[in-house]
Amino acid sequence: MYRKLLERKGYFFLGFIALWYALSKIFFDKATWELGIADNTSFTNVVGDAAGAISGNRTHSPFFVYFFNPIRLFINGFVDIIRNLIATPSNGHAAPTIGWLGVIAILAFITLATSRIRMAILVITFLLGCGALGMWADTMDTLAMTLAAVLLSLAIGIPCGIWAGLSDRVLKLFTPILDLAQILPTMVYLAPLALFFMIGEASATIATMIYSVPISIRITSHAIRSLNFSPVEASISMGATKKQTLSKVQLPMAKQMIVLGVNQTVMAALSFVVIAALIAAPGLGKPVISALTIQNTGRGFVAGLAVVLVAIMLDRATSAAAMKQKAFIPPTESEKRRKRLNVSIAGAVALGATIASHFVTALGNFPDNFDIATPISNATNSFVNFLVNDVSFLTVGFKDIISIRVLNPIEDMLARAPWFMTLTMFVIAALVLAGKRIAFLTFVLLSAIAATGLWFDAMITLTQTIVATLLTMIVGVALGIWVGRSKRADSLLRPFLDAGQTMPAFVYLVPILGLFGPTRFTAIATGIVYSIPVVVKIVGEGIRSVPESMIEAATAAGSNVRQIITKVQLPASKRALMLAANQGMIFVLAVIVIGGFVGSGGLGYIVIMGSSKPELQGKGLVAGFVILLLGVAIDRVAQAASRRA
Amino acid sequence: MSADSPMIQVKNLWKVFGSNPDKVIGTELASLTRSELRAKTGNTVAVRDVSFDVAPGEVFVVMGLSGSGKSTLVRCMTRLIEPTAGELIFSGEDILKVDGNRLRELRRTKFSMVFQHFGLLPHRKVIDNIAYPLEINGVGKAERHKRAQEVIELVGLNGYSEAYPEQLSGGMQQRVGLARALAADPEIMFLDEPFSALDPLIRRDMQSEVIRLHHELGKTMVFITHDLQEAAKVGDRIAIMRDGALIQVGTPAELVANPKDEYVANFVRDIAKSHVLTLRYIARPLRSDESAATVELDADLIIREALPTVLEAHRPIHVVSGGSSIGVVSAEDVLALIASVN
Ligand SMILES: Nc1ncnc2c1ncn2[C@@H]1O[C@H](COP(=O)(O)OP(=O)(O)OP(=O)(O)O)[C@@H](O)[C@H]1O
Ligand SMILES: [Mg+2]
């Protein structure tokens, strides 16, 4: 029966949405299951009690004594070794074991040894910049946390990735887990981890690893799998054992891509370490959060700037190291000799600086007598004030249009209508878009959400996600078409897209909060900014991969540019568009949830309240779980729909 | 083992791709054509009931159109692909029955392979590429480099031992491939379209190179190609494959003179007959109005090589085999053959 509907999907959907809207007006504000923020349901109470029981068992339950606690202590110890080395004063010393000068010297030296001198200079400048912003200690904490998480992630990710690269069975086993980890919004697993590993370094590190290990596994296994097969086959044909082929052929050939995976792992870990400040991870996330909480845009901007500096520095340095692996041909003897000389001189200087920074306190703690943070912060604040007060039509006006014309009507439809009506409508939509199986899955997932009692907040979050995704798609597809059609546009936008993808989502919140204040719209705008790069990239890629011959044929038939775009390029890249929408939505959801911090309400806010108020702990955990259900539902429907497209 | 017992015996070898390949062989399914079977069960018969022998020191060429199963056959013979059924005997040892350790040992010492796309290790210098088979066999660095250097000279790569594969031309790279295959001094070499990726001129050089190496070292070779000229040039015998099955095996002359069917005839059409046929194939009885010249020619002489003598004689010449005449050839006979357009 729905085969017919499928053929007229467009008309059907218009009618369907009109009907939905009408129904939601008729039954406005009935059976919405709206819940006050401080209210618990019986289910959240049960979860809260269970959580209390779990943390009460921390000292004597065997699970804790023999499993969770040792892991926590091990990771804490590992992180502390690194922190004591570069970040925190220890052993009765007034400064960290290696002071600021030493850290700068060592990092510059490593960069010099693995890439080029220009990168080393960039590293020195950016680190000094972080210090001058008054963020030295926090920067070091972030670096220490990132380093710890990256080392542990690689220690797990690279072997597992190699394993999955060599065996199809293992890859099959890993894939669903990796997929899940990728769609899981970051906020979801912070609270449960804190429950088992307490808030602090261990939880933050594990949370970071959950995020970055899959990336490392994925890239490593891809690196092994995408190798040219003929050297591998040749090696086997000569009687090499599996181990010999791996160590002498596959790994050396895959080295560059594996190092590229290190770059991705580092960036993922960094962005997470910043967010992990929510569960008391030390580092630059802390000043960002406190600035967000007191809504001091200037202070947040300073901290965010330090995050940006660290992000660019790590990205450039590690990707430069990866680029250097590219050529299989090593440098000539004389190049090597010169490099060796440079490196040994730099090494000696670094060693001297490190020793000096250990004994001289002035070289240990970053000097605080020249302060550029305050002027930057003040300038930012007055600029934001100017934007908000004097050109308010740009900020307030835009915000109001979106809020009143778009957000409110959709919120009325999804959240302020009876829950069973919304649920039914979603299941029907899934049936038409994605088929029976997915419709059933949608039914199950949405019913589970309803059963938790957090239906209303889930719909608030979903509304914001939908609106942000729509806006993202409008902007992202337009830019994607431009990038896909014009090489110049591509090279113009690419640096921004790349930078945008490496920045932690948190950083975007700060300036947008300044512009739009603590509202739903801030979360939406942040979601848009955060997810546009990935949408533009996917759409651009899709447009670019439309065969030249198709376009030539259309041009020869006399189509104009608009016709080529709408009749050839867009239809031909339908799959890319669907994929972009799917990815965009997942990215947006992750940010909307973080937006709980800045007044977006919904599930994110409950998660945050849950982590600060003991009586709401259960509710926070449940909200996290609902976010997970929502994410899975969105992902499944979008994927099934794109398969049909 | 006596000198004339075969180096390689292939007996009823099968390779069926797809699930449950054993369900195909020995059932009525096996008699279906390749496309029928694929439509019915999804299996592909890549090698179908192939049997042949290769003598020690012989260059055995396997030819066939793309997809006829040549690569699969040669990979089955090195067990890079596990055959589905059959026997494979190298100097009396059934290769399909040996365990992993023995197989590796055989690969390290007994036979080696040269690949169409070279399969060189991009991160290693030429010398370390060539020394690789010795390295995995545990030969020390000094010794394996010494051996590699010998082979480098053998294949004419002098002065390139410190270069990386990317720095070499395609022809040079395949010389490295050849050298690597020779490094462990194997008895048998398998070459899967070794020169297909090369330019025609370089390809001709490399063919001569293989012939030279074969003369100097006397290796047994199984040489895959889809180029007929190449096959005729390097091969002692040629096997022609179609849809996984061997259609005909014979010397170039046998194939040209007596193609078994239309497929083989089409295949060998482009060979200049005078280049492969021997006098034996055109010898005819002396007619009563002719008188033979005093010179004689051997029956196994290639026609092209007999041409000067035949033209100079102005009279039919006796063709002798085993001391007695099997007939005569005249200048007209030879010229008619050269001029004939198949
Ligand atoms: N791994 C595989 N799985 C399934 N079918 C395969 C596989 N490898 C080869 N085949 C099929 O077996 C048949 C023989 O392939 P093969 O590569 O041996 O041909 P070939 O004669 O070497 O061709 P070419 O000249 O193109 O190299 C083809 O139909 C091919 O599609
Ligand atoms: Mg082949």
Side-chain angles (χ1 to χ4, degrees):
Chain A
M1 171 217 127
Y2 58 77
R3 196 139 296 250
K4 265 242 170 65
L5 291 181
L6 213 63
E7 279 157 26
R8 301 169 188 219
K9 227 156 43 173
Y11 293 114
F12 169 77
F13 258 100
L14 265 153
F16 179 73
I17 288 182
L19 173 74
W20 191 341
Y21 187 70
L23 283 174
S24 72
K25 280 286 166 225
I26 297 170
F27 298 104
F28 186 72
D29 247 350
K30 294 202 173 65
T32 60
W33 285 8
E34 188 169 354
L35 200 65
I37 180 66
D39 298 338
N40 270 301
T41 67
S42 48
F43 180 61
T44 61
N45 275 330
V46 170
V47 175
D49 293 343
I54 290 175
S55 35
N57 275 332
R58 197 165 274 141
T59 48
H60 49 268
S61 151
F63 283 113
F64 276 100
V65 176
Y66 296 110
F67 186 69
F68 296 121
N69 294 355
I71 294 179
R72 171 166 54 95
L73 293 175
F74 167 75
I75 294 179
N76 275 342
F78 185 64
V79 174
D80 280 338
I81 291 174
I82 302 179
R83 284 187 73 198
N84 288 340
L85 212 55
I86 61 172
T88 47
S90 60
N91 302 334
H93 210 59
T97 311
I98 302 175
W100 65 271
L101 189 68
V103 171
I104 292 181
I106 290 173
L107 289 181
F109 169 72
I110 294 174
T111 317
L112 182 72
T114 55
S115 74
R116 285 168 301 141
I117 185 135
R118 271 180 44 201
M119 279 304 142
I121 293 171
L122 180 134
V123 166
I124 296 174
T125 320
F126 278 26
L127 282 173
L128 286 174
C130 290
L133 288 171
M135 295 282 158
W136 182 262
D138 284 329
T139 303
M140 287 305 108
D141 270 330
T142 292
L143 279 183
M145 291 287 299
T146 307
L147 181 64
V150 165
L151 290 179
L152 292 173
S153 297
L154 295 179
I156 296 174
I158 290 183
C160 287
I162 292 173
W163 199 23
L166 295 176
S167 152
D168 290 339
R169 282 234 322 273
V170 175
L171 183 73
K172 252 209 191 105
L173 201 76
F174 280 172
T175 303
I177 309 172
L178 300 185
D179 286 347
L180 185 69
Q182 206 155 50
I183 62 169
L184 218 54
T186 47
M187 292 269 288
V188 169
Y189 39 91
L190 289 182
L193 281 174
L195 195 58
F196 291 101
F197 298 101
M198 306 172 62
I199 61 168
E201 294 163 356
S203 287
T205 308
I206 295 173
T208 307
M209 285 166 64
I210 292 179
Y211 191 60
S212 57
V213 167
I215 293 173
S216 171
I217 293 181
R218 226 180 254 278
I219 297 181
T220 308
S221 105
H222 178 70
I224 299 274
R225 276 169 189 277
S226 61
L227 286 182
N228 182 355
F229 185 61
S230 61
V232 178
E233 189 184 32
S235 173
I236 299 169
S237 84
M238 287 179 277
T241 58
K242 277 190 182 149
K243 222 171 92 191
Q244 285 172 325
T245 302
L246 180 65
S247 68
K248 291 174 196 283
V249 181
Q250 287 165 305
L251 287 184
M253 284 175 69
K255 198 164 94 187
Q256 193 215 351
M257 207 189 270
I258 293 177
V259 177
L260 209 65
V262 173
N263 164 271
Q264 303 274 312
T265 310
V266 168
M267 299 320 292
L270 172 68
S271 75
F272 207 100
V273 160
V274 175
I275 291 174
L278 284 176
I279 48 172
L284 290 167
K286 271 191 325 197
V288 176
I289 289 182
S290 59
L292 287 177
T293 321
I294 59 170
Q295 289 164 33
N296 185 331
T297 312
R299 298 273 298 277
F301 185 76
V302 169
L305 195 58
V307 176
V308 172
L309 291 181
V310 173
I312 295 177
M313 179 183 90
L314 289 180
D315 184 40
R316 283 294 123 91
T318 50
S319 59
M323 287 315 286
K324 253 191 69 172
Q325 307 288 336
K326 193 166 199 163
F328 287 117
I329 303 166
T332 61
E333 267 315 307
S334 70
E335 280 171 338
K336 264 196 224 160
R337 220 172 301 129
R338 214 178 55 228
K339 175 101 194 183
R340 253 200 303 270
L341 186 70
N342 285 346
V343 168
S344 20
I345 293 174
V349 173
L351 188 68
T354 306
I355 294 172
S357 76
H358 181 67
F359 292 107
V360 183
T361 312
L363 302 178
N365 289 323
F366 203 87
D368 50 6
N369 43 8
F370 61 109
D371 171 26
I372 63 169
T374 314
I376 290 181
S377 163
N378 290 343
T380 310
N381 278 336
S382 44
F383 181 63
V384 166
N385 279 338
F386 160 75
L387 286 182
V388 173
N389 297 327
D390 299 334
V391 283
S392 62
F393 60 91
L394 268 184
T395 57
V396 182
F398 187 54
K399 176 179 82 178
D400 287 348
I401 288 179
I402 296 290
S403 299
I404 296 166
R405 302 281 154 149
V406 186
L407 259 173
N408 287 350
I410 297 185
E411 196 173 295
D412 288 351
M413 271 171 76
L414 301 186
R416 299 194 186 278
W419 65 271
F420 47 84
M421 192 187 104
T422 309
L423 194 153
T424 312
M425 290 314 218
F426 269 126
V427 173
I428 294 175
L431 185 67
V432 178
L433 273 177
K436 278 185 220 160
R437 252 174 37 113
I438 298 294
F440 180 69
L441 183 71
T442 309
F443 173 74
V444 172
L445 291 171
L446 290 182
S447 304
I449 292 176
T452 63
L454 297 186
W455 176 265
F456 181 80
D457 291 289
M459 288 305 114
I460 295 287
T461 297
L462 185 59
T463 303
Q464 293 169 7
T465 308
I466 290 174
V467 171
T469 308
L470 285 176
L471 295 174
T472 302
M473 287 305 284
I474 292 172
V475 182
V477 169
L479 288 176
I481 292 174
W482 191 37
V483 164
R485 289 176 54 88
S486 145
K487 278 222 158 62
R488 259 198 30 229
D490 186 45
S491 49
L492 197 71
L493 286 186
R494 186 149 295 263
F496 293 100
L497 299 178
D498 287 344
Q501 276 193 313
T502 51
M503 287 309 152
F506 239 26
V507 168
Y508 298 115
L509 270 181
V510 177
I512 296 174
L513 177 67
L515 291 182
F516 301 113
T519 58
R520 294 178 291 178
F521 189 73
T522 298
I524 290 176
T526 312
I528 296 172
V529 174
Y530 184 63
S531 53
I532 277 181
V534 63
V535 170
V536 174
K537 273 192 176 176
I538 296 175
V539 174
E541 203 52 52
I543 298 276
R544 216 171 295 129
S545 63
V546 175
E548 192 62 33
S549 56
M550 266 169 89
I551 296 161
E552 270 169 10
T555 315
S559 318
N560 61 30
V561 171
R562 197 178 54 98
Q563 285 167 329
I564 288 179
I565 294 177
T566 56
K567 299 218 159 32
V568 181
Q569 289 179 312
L570 282 181
S573 36
K574 209 161 159 189
R575 264 167 183 280
L577 288 175
M578 297 302 283
L579 179 67
N582 185 2
Q583 288 290 305
M585 215 152 173
I586 295 295
F587 272 55
V588 162
L589 177 64
V591 175
I592 294 288
V593 174
I594 298 176
F597 250 98
V598 290
S600 75
L603 298 168
Y605 186 52
I606 302 180
V607 170
I608 289 159
M609 292 307 283
S611 59
S612 58
K613 289 203 164 55
E615 71 275 14
L616 289 179
Q617 190 183 20
K619 196 177 177 189
L621 286 168
V622 173
F625 180 64
V626 173
I627 294 171
L628 170 64
L629 294 178
L630 215 51
V632 173
I634 290 172
D635 185 61
R636 292 293 105 176
V637 173
Q639 277 201 9
S642 75
R643 265 197 297 277
R644 292 207 160 186
Chain B
M1 199 184 70
S2 70
D4 49 3
S5 72
M7 177 69 94
I8 301 172
Q9 287 173 279
V10 178
K11 293 183 186 166
N12 309 102
L13 197 72
W14 286 80
K15 176 66 198 182
V16 181
F17 286 110
S19 52
N20 296 325
D22 293 326
K23 290 243 168 67
V24 177
I25 298 161
T27 68
E28 69 276 16
L29 286 177
S31 57
L32 295 179
T33 68
R34 196 191 251 187
S35 44
E36 282 167 355
L37 183 73
R38 189 170 342 190
K40 194 156 181 181
T41 67
N43 294 59
T44 304
V45 183
V47 174
R48 177 190 291 272
D49 203 12
V50 167
S51 305
F52 61 87
D53 290 351
V54 181
E58 184 178 10
V59 179
F60 188 84
V61 175
V62 180
M63 284 197 62
L65 298 177
S66 182
S68 57
K70 309 178 297 288
S71 295
T72 309
L73 174 65
V74 78
R75 279 173 177 72
C76 282
M77 294 176 75
T78 50
R79 278 184 64 185
L80 285 170
I81 295 177
E82 282 300 330
T84 313
E87 277 177 68
L88 188 58
I89 294 159
F90 289 3
S91 330
E93 181 176 13
D94 190 341
I95 300 296
L96 299 187
K97 296 227 167 69
V98 301
D99 66 5
N101 281 332
R102 175 67 185 147
L103 178 62
R104 269 195 295 281
E105 198 179 316
L106 285 166
R107 283 175 176 166
R108 288 174 183 183
T109 54
K110 175 95 181 170
F111 56 85
S112 65
M113 215 172 149
V114 179
F115 297 87
Q116 179 176 1
H117 298 292
F118 319 142
L120 302 181
L121 311 182
H123 55 285
R124 285 173 167 234
K125 293 175 192 165
V126 165
I127 189 156
D128 288 313
N129 260 290
I130 296 173
Y132 183 76
L134 305 170
E135 179 181 337
I136 54 180
N137 204 10
V139 178
K141 185 160 181 179
E143 199 185 330
R144 65 177 190 251
H145 273 192
K146 184 164 153 274
R147 170 67 187 154
Q149 201 57 51
E150 287 168 25
V151 198
I152 284 178
E153 276 158 35
L154 191 63
V155 301
L157 276 172
N158 303 31
Y160 288 96
S161 61
E162 296 298 307
Y164 282 80
E166 280 173 31
Q167 297 168 320
L168 302 180
S169 68
M172 287 296 205
Q173 292 190 30
Q174 195 56 301
R175 278 174 202 264
V176 180
L178 272 175
R180 180 176 65 182
L182 288 168
D185 198 19
E187 290 167 51
I188 307 169
M189 288 172 75
F190 295 97
L191 302 96
D192 184 7
E193 303 202 27
F195 309 136
S196 296
L198 305 179
D199 295 336
L201 280 180
I202 299 178
R203 198 184 307 171
R204 225 182 304 153
D205 281 353
M206 295 297 288
Q207 288 159 0
S208 309
E209 189 74 21
V210 164
I211 293 170
R212 180 179 69 80
L213 288 171
H214 182 249
H215 273 289
E216 285 177 24
L217 306 170
K219 307 280 183 207
T220 307
M221 293 186 181
V222 176
F223 192 111
I224 311 283
T225 179
H226 61 239
D227 175 352
L228 185 75
Q229 307 295 345
E230 184 167 279
K233 187 168 171 187
V234 303
D236 294 323
R237 283 190 303 151
I238 300 176
I240 298 202
M241 282 183 87
R242 177 181 58 198
D243 288 350
L246 268 197
I247 305 295
Q248 190 175 3
V249 183
T251 62
E254 282 165 3
L255 295 180
V256 170
N258 308 307
K260 188 172 162 190
D261 62 11
E262 199 58 17
Y263 182 78
V264 179
N266 264 330
F267 241 108
V268 296
R269 169 173 297 161
D270 290 335
I271 297 192
K273 287 180 176 168
S274 59
H275 287 207
V276 292
L277 289 185
T278 54
L279 293 175
R280 181 187 304 278
Y281 290 94
I282 54 169
R284 59 169 173 84
L286 189 69
R287 284 196 305 269
S288 53
D289 60 333
E290 293 172 323
S291 62
T294 47
V295 285
E296 293 177 339
L297 285 170
D298 191 272
D300 289 327
L301 194 63
I302 304 276
I303 293 170
R304 182 176 57 163
E305 284 157 15
L307 193 58
T309 321
V310 174
L311 289 180
E312 225 161 76
H314 299 295
R315 286 196 284 170
I317 297 177
H318 272 291
V319 177
V320 291
S321 170
S324 59
S325 168
I326 58 166
V328 294
V329 291
S330 66
E332 292 88 80
D333 299 332
V334 173
L335 292 175
L337 180 98
I338 292 174
S340 75
V341 200
N342 298 297

